[in-house]
């Protein structure tokens, strides 16, 4: 597949998904990625220092990495240096399926903290598919959660 999903490490904790996406878009990467997720620590209302971004076109992914790896983000005077690794979960469909039944997509979770899907060709944000069962953000994700399933765990 031509797709490539990166895990971006060392993101300053005070960055929001909106701030990061605006930064990437302003650097010429708008509509080059179709999946984005910045996990959040719900207790502290800040990100946990890493994000996932999928690119349907490998050349865009490589250009993105070249633009940002080894650099630091300017806001908040952070000294953290961005690092890129291939994510464990690769591709749009795999990421969408991975998070579909996750507690992070439940109705209790703010839209600002959920994974985001984009249709690059149509240039629009698309809704996440409905989960296979009702999700409980406080408990985790559906029946797989209590059985030791990975539905509510991160993709990294």
């Amino acid at each position: 597949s031509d797709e490539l999903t990166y895990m971006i490490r060392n993101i300053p904790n005070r960055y929001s998904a909106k701030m990061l996406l605006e930064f990437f878009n302003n650097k010429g990467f708008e509509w080059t990625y179709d999946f984005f997720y910045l996990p959040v620590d719900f207790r502290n209302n800040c990100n946990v220092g890493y994000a996932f971004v999928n690119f349907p076109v490998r050349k865009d992914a490589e250009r993105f990495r070249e633009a940002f790896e080894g650099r630091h983000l300017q806001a908040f005077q952070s000294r953290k240096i961005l690092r890129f690794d291939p994510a464990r979960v690769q591709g749009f469909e795999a990421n969408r399926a991975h998070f579909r039944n996750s507690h992070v997509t439940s109705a209790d979770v703010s839209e600002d903290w959920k994974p985001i899907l984009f249709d690059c060709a149509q240039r629009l944000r698309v809704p996440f598919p409905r989960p296979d069962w009702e999700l409980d953000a406080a408990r985790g994700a559906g029946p797989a959660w209590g059985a030791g399933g990975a539905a509510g765990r991160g993709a990294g």
Side-chain angles (χ1 to χ4, degrees):
S1 169
D2 196 38
E3 288 185 278
L4 181 59
T5 306
Y6 281 126
M7 179 182 197
I8 307 169
R9 299 178 189 270
N10 298 331
I11 295 170
N13 299 92
R14 292 195 288 174
Y15 267 85
S16 68
K18 181 180 178 184
M19 289 174 66
L20 265 181
L21 292 176
E22 285 177 1
F23 177 76
F24 297 150
N25 293 347
N26 288 337
K27 298 292 184 183
F29 291 95
E30 189 170 22
W31 307 118
T32 62
Y33 49 86
D34 56 11
F35 173 84
F36 178 84
Y37 179 47
L38 179 68
V40 170
D41 176 340
F42 297 114
R43 281 184 270 249
N44 296 317
N45 294 328
C46 63
N47 81 66
V48 296
Y50 57 88
F52 301 98
V53 61
N54 184 70
F55 294 86
V57 178
R58 189 169 291 265
K59 283 188 177 190
D60 289 333
E62 292 166 355
R63 190 170 59 89
F64 183 85
R65 183 176 182 166
E66 287 172 13
F68 300 115
E69 185 167 44
R71 293 180 171 78
H72 63 92
L73 299 171
Q74 300 296 321
F76 309 117
Q77 301 175 352
S78 174
R79 296 199 179 278
K80 290 183 176 184
I81 304 296
L82 296 181
R83 298 286 175 233
F84 286 66
D85 291 305
R88 183 176 54 83
V89 177
Q90 285 290 316
F92 177 85
E93 291 298 334
N95 275 290
R96 185 171 71 168
H98 181 81
F99 287 102
R100 180 177 184 170
N101 294 310
S102 169
H103 69 283
V104 300
T105 60
S106 74
D108 302 16
V109 174
S110 166
E111 287 298 317
D112 295 338
W113 297 350
K114 292 181 180 184
I116 304 169
L117 303 176
F118 299 95
D119 181 329
C120 298
Q122 298 295 317
R123 295 186 172 231
L124 36 99
R125 183 173 172 167
V126 295
F128 231 84
R130 296 189 50 77
D132 294 324
W133 52 76
E134 189 172 330
L135 300 176
D136 178 358
R139 199 174 57 82
W145 186 265
R153 297 187 191 137

